[in-house]
C-alpha cells in the first residue's frame, strides 16, 4: 500500500456490510477506516505493553487532513514506544467526564463556530446563548457533577420531570431578566439542549454513548394565542388613539409591520432598508432562523416599511432612539398598547400567529402559509430561486385584509375572499 494521500482516501469505496481499511506505507500502524455509512476516520493500530492489539481513532477525515492526521499518529505511536496506551487513556478520560465538563466543551466549541447545527452551518450565537442559559439554570445545578457514562435514560427523564415541577425555579433577579420557573416548555427545551450537546460530543468522539438517546421530550401545553378579527380591529383603533397621544411611533410601526407580514420580532426590528425590494414585493433577509430567505410582503406591508424608512437616515428601518443600532423596545410598547386595549397574553409571536390565522381564514393552504412565515428547514421559500408569484399574491391579500381590520374595516366573507383570490395579482382588497 502506498503512502496515504487525499486522492487515495477519496477514492476508497465503501462496502455495505464491513469496514474498509487503507494503511499508510510511511508510518506503520497509521491508516484510514471507511465505515459502511461512508464516514472516513483516521486511526492507529498498535500493540500495547501487554501485546494486545488496540486501535485508536485520531479524528474524522474532512476535519483533519491526511498530513495533520499523520503527524498526530506519529506522536501517538511514539507514546506507545514509551509504554503508553492511547486507547486505554482515552477510555479512562471518557469514563471520568462529568456532565458539566461536556457542557463546557460544547459551549466552547459552539461559540468558536466549530459545531454545525441542523442546517449544516455553525450554530448561531443566539442559539448558543439560549443553550448556555438552560445549561447554567437547569442542567448544571441538577446533574452537572454526574459522570456521563454512568447516566441512564431514566436519569435524563427524571431530570426533565424535576425541571417541569420547578426544582430549579428561582425568584426574580434585579436588573434585566425575569424569574426562572418550571413547566413543560422549560423542561422540554432543557432536555432538547442536553440531548443535542451529548449527540455532538458522541459524534466527535468526546464521549462513547449518549445517555439521552431515546428520551421522550415532554410536550408543551402552551396555548397558541392569536387575535380574533374583532381584537385586531380594536387593537388598530387603540393604536391610532395612542399615536395621536404621543406613543412611540417606531414601536407602533413595528407592531403594525409584524401584523402585516408575519415576520419574527427580530426580523422586523433588525431589518435594513437595503433589504427591501418593493418592485418584487419582498424583503431579502441575508440570514434568519432558517437561513437566508426571500420573504414575500404585501403592498400594505411594503408601504408601511417604505414610510417608516423615510423617517431617518439610519440604515435600519426601525432605528434606535440613541446610537447607531436598531430599535429594541417594541415589547414595552406592545404591552402598553394591549393594557390600554384590555388584551391579555399578547406577545410579538402572537402577532405572527395572528397573521397565519387570518391567512388560513382567507382559504390559503398550510403550505402557502408556511412559505409566508419562512418556516424551515422544510419552508417553501427554501426551495425558490426567485420568489414564487403565488406567495406574493397571498402575502398581498393577507396584508390587505389585516390593514383593513386595523383601519376599522369589516372582515371579508370566505366567498368574497375566494372571489378576490381568483382575480389574480392585478386585483387587491383595496380595490374591492
Amino acid at each position: 500500500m502506498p503512502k496515504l494521500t487525499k486522492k487515495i482516501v477519496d477514492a476508497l469505496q465503501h462496502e455495505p456490510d464491513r469496514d474498509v481499511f487503507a494503511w499508510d506505507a510511511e508510518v506503520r500502524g497509521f491508516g484510514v477506516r471507511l465505515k459502511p455509512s461512508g464516514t472516513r476516520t483516521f486511526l492507529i493500530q498498535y500493540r500495547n505493553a501487554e501485546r494486545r492489539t488496540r486501535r485508536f481513532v485520531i479524528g474524522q477525515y474532512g476535519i483533519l487532513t491526511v498530513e495533520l492526521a499523520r503527524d498526530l499518529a506519529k506522536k501517538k505511536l511514539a507514546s506507545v514506544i514509551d509504554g503508553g496506551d492511547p486507547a486505554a487513556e482515552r477510555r479512562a478520560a471518557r469514563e471520568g467526564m462529568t456532565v458539566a465538563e461536556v457542557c463546557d466543551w460544547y459551549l466552547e466549541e459552539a461559540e468558536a463556530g466549530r459545531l454545525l447545527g441542523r442546517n449544516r452551518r455553525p450554530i448561531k450565537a443566539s442559539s448558543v446563548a439560549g443553550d448556555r442559559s438552560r445549561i447554567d439554570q437547569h442542567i448544571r445545578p441538577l446533574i452537572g457533577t454526574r459522570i456521563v457514562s454512568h447516566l441512564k435514560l431514566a436519569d435524563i427523564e427524571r431530570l426533565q420531570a424535576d425541571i417541569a415541577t420547578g426544582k430549579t425555579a428561582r425568584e426574580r433577579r434585579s436588573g434585566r431578566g425575569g424569574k426562572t420557573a418550571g413547566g413543560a416548555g422549560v423542561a422540554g427545551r432543557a432536555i432538547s439542549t442536553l440531548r443535542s450537546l451529548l449527540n455532538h460530543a458522541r459524534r466527535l468522539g468526546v464521549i462513547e454513548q449518549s445517555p439521552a438517546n431515546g428520551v421522550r421530550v415532554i410536550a408543551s401545553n402552551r396555548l397558541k394565542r392569536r387575535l380574533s378579527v374583532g381584537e385586531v380591529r380594536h387593537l388598530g383603533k387603540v393604536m391610532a388613539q395612542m399615536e395621536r397621544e404621543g406613543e412611540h411611533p417606531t414601536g407602533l410601526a413595528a407592531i403594525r409591520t409584524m401584523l402585516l407580514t408575519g415576520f419574527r420580532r427580530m426580523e422586523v426590528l433588525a431589518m435594513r432598508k437595503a433589504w427591501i425590494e418593493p418592485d418584487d414585493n419582498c424583503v431579502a433577509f441575508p440570514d434568519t432562523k432558517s437561513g437566508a430567505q426571500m420573504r414575500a410582503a404585501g403592498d400594505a406591508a411594503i408601504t408601511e416599511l417604505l414610510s417608516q424608512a423615510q423617517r431617518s437616515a439610519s440604515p435600519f428601518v426601525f432605528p434606535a432612539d440613541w446610537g447607531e443600532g436598531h430599535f429594541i423596545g417594541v415589547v414595552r410598547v406592545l404591552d402598553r398598547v394591549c393594557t390600554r386595549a384590555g388584551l391579555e397574553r399578547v406577545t410579538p409571536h402572537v402577532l405572527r400567529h395572528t397573521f397565519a390565522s387570518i391567512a388560513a381564514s382567507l382559504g390559503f393552504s398550510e403550505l402557502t402559509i408556511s412559505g409566508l412565515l419562512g418556516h424551515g428547514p422544510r419552508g417553501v421559500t427554501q426551495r425558490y430561486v426567485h420568489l414564487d408569484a403565488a406567495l406574493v399574491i397571498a402575502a398581498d391579500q393577507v396584508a390587505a385584509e389585516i390593514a383593513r381590520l386595523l383601519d376599522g374595516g369589516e372582515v371579508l366573507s370566505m366567498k368574497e375572499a375566494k372571489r378576490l383570490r381568483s382575480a389574480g395579482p392585478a386585483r387587491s382588497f383595496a380595490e374591492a
Side-chain angles (χ1 to χ4, degrees):
M1 175 63 71
K3 177 181 176 180
L4 281 182
T5 63
K6 182 178 186 299
K7 183 177 181 180
I8 291 175
V9 175
D10 288 337
L12 288 176
Q13 298 293 319
H14 73 275
E15 298 188 14
D17 55 354
R18 71 182 186 93
D19 294 346
V20 176
F21 292 86
W23 299 99
D24 186 63
E26 179 181 281
V27 179
R28 185 177 178 182
F30 168 57
V32 63
R33 176 174 58 193
L34 175 60
K35 304 286 286 184
S37 64
T39 301
R40 294 168 169 81
T41 52
F42 295 111
L43 74 160
I44 58 172
Q45 183 168 296
Y46 62 94
R47 289 183 183 273
N48 63 12
E50 299 174 349
R51 306 302 296 165
R52 293 184 178 181
T53 300
R54 293 285 185 262
R55 286 176 181 165
F56 178 87
V57 174
I58 298 173
Q60 187 171 321
Y61 175 60
I63 298 176
L64 295 177
T65 64
V66 178
E67 293 75 16
L68 180 55
R70 183 181 289 108
D71 290 341
L72 294 173
K74 290 178 181 178
K75 295 177 182 178
K76 291 297 181 183
L77 290 170
S79 72
V80 172
I81 296 175
D82 291 336
D85 189 344
E89 292 164 4
R90 173 176 284 179
R91 189 179 304 111
R94 287 171 178 167
E95 290 178 351
M97 286 195 76
T98 65
V99 173
E101 289 170 339
V102 176
C103 289
D104 290 339
W105 168 86
Y106 165 76
L107 292 171
E108 180 180 350
E109 294 296 299
E111 288 174 345
R114 292 190 289 265
L115 295 180
L116 302 184
R118 61 180 181 178
N119 295 322
R120 300 193 179 185
R121 300 174 62 188
I123 301 172
K124 292 186 176 182
S126 58
S127 298
V128 179
D131 291 341
R132 179 180 288 279
S133 175
R134 287 183 280 274
I135 287 169
D136 291 343
Q137 295 179 11
H138 305 292
I139 298 171
R140 201 186 299 273
L142 293 181
I143 62 168
T145 59
R146 298 285 301 275
I147 304 298
V148 173
S149 60
H150 297 172
L151 287 174
K152 306 297 182 185
L153 180 63
D155 297 318
I156 306 300
E157 296 200 343
R158 189 178 304 113
L159 167 68
Q160 180 172 237
D162 287 342
I163 297 172
T165 55
K167 194 169 183 178
T168 50
R170 64 188 185 194
E171 295 301 319
R172 182 180 295 275
R173 297 163 293 172
S174 60
R176 296 186 62 183
K179 64 181 180 180
T180 301
V186 173
R189 288 189 290 274
I191 296 304
S192 293
T193 291
L194 178 62
R195 180 175 60 184
S196 176
L197 71 87
L198 288 174
N199 281 335
H200 280 296
R202 178 196 55 77
R203 181 174 56 84
L204 295 177
V206 177
I207 59 175
E208 289 285 353
Q209 296 294 332
S210 168
N213 282 344
V215 66
R216 293 186 175 181
V217 178
I218 189 170
S220 174
N221 56 6
R222 182 178 58 183
L223 297 177
K224 288 189 175 182
R225 169 84 160 100
R226 63 203 67 193
L227 300 177
S228 67
V229 293
E231 288 176 324
V232 175
R233 275 199 300 269
H234 182 52
L235 184 69
K237 180 179 178 181
V238 171
M239 287 172 62
Q241 176 64 34
M242 293 182 71
E243 184 175 19
R244 290 191 293 268
E245 295 173 359
E247 180 55 79
H248 203 298
T250 304
L252 293 174
I255 293 170
R256 187 176 177 92
T257 299
M258 284 187 281
L259 273 168
L260 293 174
T261 61
F263 291 174
R264 298 178 179 91
R265 174 175 62 93
M266 290 309 299
E267 290 172 350
V268 170
L269 297 183
M271 189 187 303
R272 291 178 177 266
K273 297 174 183 178
W275 301 348
I276 304 172
E277 300 184 8
D279 292 340
D280 294 325
N281 274 82
C282 70
V283 178
F285 289 102
D287 192 24
T288 69
K289 185 177 180 180
S290 304
Q293 288 185 338
M294 299 281 285
R295 298 278 285 283
D299 286 344
I302 292 293
T303 299
E304 181 72 27
L305 290 173
L306 294 179
S307 174
Q308 175 63 26
Q310 293 172 359
R311 296 180 181 179
S312 77
S314 169
F316 294 101
V317 179
F318 301 93
D321 295 330
W322 298 278
E324 299 179 355
H326 61 76
F327 185 67
I328 60 172
V330 70
V331 173
R332 292 191 293 272
V333 177
L334 181 60
D335 286 345
R336 290 196 293 268
V337 170
C338 290
T339 298
R340 172 78 73 88
L343 300 174
E344 297 181 350
R345 297 182 297 109
V346 179
T347 66
H349 208 63
V350 169
L351 305 184
R352 183 168 160 85
H353 286 162
T354 301
F355 176 91
S357 176
I358 291 177
S361 73
L362 294 176
F364 289 106
S365 69
E366 183 177 344
L367 187 62
T368 298
I369 296 171
S370 180
L372 293 174
L373 295 176
H375 282 163
R378 304 180 186 87
V380 177
T381 51
Q382 298 294 307
R383 297 195 296 270
Y384 289 121
V385 176
H386 300 292
L387 198 61
D388 194 290
L391 281 181
V392 174
I393 295 169
D396 186 45
Q397 295 183 358
V398 177
E401 174 64 355
I402 294 174
R404 172 195 290 270
L405 294 173
L406 287 173
D407 294 338
E410 295 298 322
V411 65
L412 292 178
S413 67
M414 182 66 75
K415 182 176 180 180
E416 291 172 318
K418 288 182 177 179
R419 177 176 60 82
L420 288 173
R421 283 180 58 197
S422 65
R427 189 81 181 275
S428 69
F429 285 133
E431 295 170 328

